[in-house]
Amino acid sequence: QVDESKEVESIVPSYACQRRTTLENHNTVFTDALSLLAENAELSDEDGRGVAFRRAAAMLKALHSPVTDLLQLRGLPCLGGHSLRVIKDVLENGASSEVEFTKQSERFKALKVLTGIFGVGAKTAERWIREGIHSLQQLQDSAHTLNRAQQAGLEHYDDLNQPVTKAEGDAIGEIVAKAVMSVLPGAQITLIGGFRRGKLTGHDVDFLITHPEEGREVGLMPKVVSWLESKGFLLYQKTTRNSYLESKDGPARPSSNMDRFERCFSIFKLPEDEKQGTKQTETLTDTCSLTTPSLVKDEGSESTKRANLKPWRAVRVDLVVSPISQFAFALLGWTGSKLFERELRRWAGHEKAMSLSSHALYDNTQSKYLRASSEEEIFAHLGLEYIPPSERNA
Ligand code: TTP
Ligand code: MN
Ligand code: MN
Ligand code: MN
């Protein structure tokens, strides 16, 4: 007796990597609520609950019309009892009481503020909160010594918590390209992460670097970093060398989801003039006010930073270097979304007896690695329909 016209979708596959999820979302009131509960669970070291909320939210993102009645959810996958209660609450009351309670809670607010510092994870934040530290001021007043990443994170807190625009991402791409071409002509740079999926803003900018000749990419990162440092583009950087070749546990079975490429987590100093690029004339007045000597003189002070009157902005940038033989796997693994990646690996393991990582795909039945030089080939190996980056926004 379900009203067919009210049904939002007849068949929705249960793995996010089987679905096309664009940025257009007809169910934001539900997905925002579930995402907040997922975030709270992740910040509270309850990853299982976090994934359950993320899966429920992702399923709703894939629907083509708004859910207006619980009956429409019959037969849809990924909805556990807890998620259904949240959806029901939103449908009946316009908001979820659990979400509202969580948002107001001192604990959640403190976790958000503290993990908003680059270099501070859920565990560290939790420890500080137990000591009564709930704000940046309390942290600064405490006796805690911060590591180099956290010091940089605190120093550039406001900039790093302001979303990065696509224009800023492109400006950084030009700088990275100049650096890479200066130290290894012929190398290739690809925008990855959220911007490759078509997002208009992100929390950082991600790039994958390779060279068409296998082996030429070895040792590239320190050279790129030196070039960037010599030009004053880096406020912070931590380079990790490739640990893939030395590992003993087999390439497709890493001890964690972290891959082992040569990589660099950094904070860029993006000058305003680079950021504005060709639009410089339109924003001439802004540019002039930014370089007024009386304002520049004040550059380091807290108040100036908060008013953002300095002629540059701090932006988080991730750089990854991959050998060409692993490029397709690295590209697929670093394009996201995080849930889409997790679902690809779950599909590979549970449905195909394969192990997928950002380095390789291993077929446990045939006991061999499956090669691929494009993302399309990897989807084909996995028996999945190809999903382009813009539809991986699960
Ligand atoms: P993020 O940059 O964290 O996420 P994002 O680009 O999707 O979102 P945002 O716009 O907020 O920046 O990660 C990008 C992808 O890289 C994501 O799919 C996970 C993957 N990744 C790894 O494979 N290994 C890692 O160590 C990290 C940090 C990310
Ligand atoms: Mn739609
Ligand atoms: Mn990103
Ligand atoms: Mn990133």
Side-chain angles (χ1 to χ4, degrees):
Q1 57 286 65
V2 178
D3 179 355
E4 289 288 323
S5 65
K6 274 184 130 190
E7 230 173 293
V8 280
E9 217 88 9
S10 42
I11 309 156
V12 176
S14 60
Y15 287 85
C17 54
Q18 297 172 287
R19 306 190 292 252
R20 295 177 180 275
T21 314
T22 60
L23 289 169
E24 182 191 40
N25 176 355
H26 304 275
N27 285 286
T28 50
V29 326
F30 308 110
T31 58
D32 287 351
L34 293 165
S35 300
L36 185 129
L37 296 180
E39 189 181 13
N40 185 237
E42 288 156 2
L43 290 174
S44 307
D45 205 21
E46 296 172 10
D47 287 345
R49 272 156 60 90
V51 174
F53 287 130
R54 295 264 176 228
R55 281 207 194 113
M59 193 281 294
L60 295 174
K61 283 181 199 171
L63 301 179
H64 293 290
S65 57
V67 170
T68 55
D69 191 311
L70 267 190
L71 282 176
Q72 296 167 328
L73 299 175
R74 285 214 273 182
L76 293 182
C78 310
L79 297 174
H82 198 154
S83 294
L84 277 171
R85 281 201 301 282
V86 173
I87 297 167
K88 184 165 182 275
D89 208 6
V90 174
L91 279 171
E92 289 173 358
N93 309 308
S96 148
S97 52
E98 186 181 357
V99 169
E100 295 311 305
F101 175 83
T102 303
K103 270 194 210 166
Q104 303 297 319
S105 80
E106 289 307 316
R107 201 189 116 75
F108 180 71
K109 285 193 273 186
L111 280 167
K112 285 281 283 182
V113 168
L114 297 176
T115 58
I117 305 170
F118 169 67
V120 177
K123 294 222 169 64
T124 303
E126 177 70 56
R127 193 156 31 82
W128 288 343
I129 291 168
R130 268 190 267 121
E131 295 171 25
I133 297 168
H134 286 219
S135 68
L136 299 186
Q137 193 58 56
Q138 287 170 330
L139 177 62
Q140 273 166 324
D141 294 345
S142 78
H144 286 290
T145 35
L146 304 180
N147 65 32
R148 210 167 54 85
Q150 295 162 346
Q151 281 171 32
L154 199 53
E155 187 175 347
H156 305 294
Y157 189 86
D158 290 347
D159 274 4
L160 299 185
N161 281 286
Q162 186 192 317
V164 184
T165 64
K166 181 65 168 54
E168 289 168 333
D170 290 339
I172 287 168
E174 281 174 35
I175 297 169
V176 173
K178 215 184 259 181
V180 172
M181 290 318 149
S182 311
V183 300
L184 182 64
Q188 294 166 1
I189 300 141
T190 310
L191 184 64
I192 48 176
F195 286 122
R196 181 162 185 253
R197 303 197 306 275
K199 280 180 63 183
L200 299 176
T201 61
H203 95 284
D204 68 357
V205 198
D206 309 281
F207 297 98
L208 177 59
I209 305 163
T210 191
H211 191 285
E213 260 176 75
E214 185 88 1
R216 292 287 300 278
E217 80 293 343
V218 172
L220 177 58
M221 195 71 88
K223 291 180 198 157
V224 172
V225 168
S226 295
W227 190 96
L228 290 167
E229 260 173 348
S230 73
K231 300 275 191 277
F233 282 123
L234 293 182
L235 295 162
Y236 167 89
Q237 69 85 17
K238 185 175 189 330
T239 301
T240 313
R241 63 200 184 95
N242 187 324
S243 58
Y244 183 70
L245 296 170
E246 306 138 43
S247 64
K248 301 178 212 116
D249 56 344
R253 299 177 208 83
S255 48
S256 78
N257 286 336
M258 291 288 279
D259 58 64
R260 286 166 286 185
F261 290 117
E262 189 176 33
R263 74 171 71 190
C264 177
F265 294 113
S266 75
I267 301 175
F268 258 60
K269 179 175 183 172
L270 177 64
E272 289 292 337
D273 54 347
E274 301 265 352
K275 174 175 137 187
Q276 284 158 1
T278 51
K279 289 194 301 180
Q280 219 160 23
T281 45
E282 292 166 36
T283 49
L284 195 61
T285 46
D286 294 338
T287 313
C288 290
S289 69
L290 286 169
T291 50
T292 302
S294 63
L295 295 174
V296 170
K297 171 182 84 192
D298 241 22
E299 190 180 308
S301 83
E302 279 308 304
S303 60
T304 309
K305 264 190 237 157
R306 301 215 184 277
N308 198 22
L309 295 173
K310 55 187 175 18
W312 52 270
R313 138 152 169 74
V315 179
R316 273 272 299 115
V317 176
D318 285 338
L319 305 175
V320 191
V321 172
S322 148
I324 191 75
S325 60
Q326 297 170 22
F327 180 77
F329 297 99
L331 183 61
L332 179 60
W334 277 82
T335 295
S337 68
K338 285 197 187 80
L339 185 75
F340 192 91
E341 302 295 340
R342 178 185 272 273
E343 292 281 274
L344 272 176
R345 292 192 297 265
R346 191 166 70 94
W347 167 271
H350 290 202
E351 306 295 329
K352 298 286 159 181
M354 293 180 186
S355 310
L356 175 69
S357 75
S358 294
H359 297 277
L361 178 62
Y362 186 79
D363 184 331
N364 293 297
T365 313
Q366 300 184 65
S367 301
K368 69 170 192 190
Y369 287 97
L370 304 178
R371 298 188 159 277
S373 55
S374 68
E375 290 181 316
E376 282 86 344
E377 285 175 67
I378 303 173
F379 279 90
H381 282 320
L382 290 169
L384 288 168
E385 196 182 329
Y386 176 69
I387 310 286
S390 61
E391 295 176 331
R392 296 181 203 160
N393 286 292

